[in-house]
Amino acid sequence: MSTPQPYRPAPQPYPQIVTRPTNALAVVTLVLGLLGFAVVPVVTGHVALRQIRTRGEGGTACAVIGLVLGYLALATYVVVALVVTGFLVWGGTR
């Protein structure tokens, strides 16, 4: 008979780190929001959030930040347009 071998636990496999892919449209939204565009990041941000929710991708923060910047740019452009229109209608000097 052979002598029994000492007990050795089975080697544990390295843990697999699973990363979710980042939604490309969310990154586009962030970049366009940072560049000061208004309407395009708002539209792409909402589309990106829908894709993230249905596909299970990452990039929610990029999409939300891009959306906020897009809405801020849109509000700024509206205020500037109203001020310029006011000056044109009522005259800037008296």
Side-chain angles (χ1 to χ4, degrees), residues 50-92:
R50 171 73 50 102
Q51 288 178 354
I52 289 168
R53 194 169 40 245
T54 57
R55 297 179 187 172
E57 296 176 320
T60 304
C62 292
V64 169
I65 292 169
L67 267 171
V68 169
L69 292 173
Y71 277 122
L72 286 174
L74 187 62
T76 302
Y77 294 149
V78 167
V79 168
V80 168
L82 289 174
V83 169
V84 168
T85 303
F87 274 116
L88 291 176
V89 170
W90 289 294

Side-chain angles (χ1 to χ4, degrees), residues 14-22 56-58:
Y14 291 107
Q16 297 277 336
I17 298 175
V18 179
T19 58
R20 297 185 306 173
T22 302
E57 296 176 320

Side-chain angles (χ1 to χ4, degrees), residues 24-35 40-48 62-70:
L25 205 53
V27 176
V28 169
T29 302
L30 177 62
V31 170
L32 291 176
L34 287 171
L35 290 176
V40 179
V42 169
V43 172
T44 58
H46 285 290
V47 173
C62 292
V64 169
I65 292 169
L67 267 171
V68 169
L69 292 173

Side-chain angles (χ1 to χ4, degrees), residues 3 5 23 52-53 87 94:
T3 58
Q5 296 293 324
N23 186 289
I52 289 168
R53 194 169 40 245
F87 274 116
R94 288 203 174 221

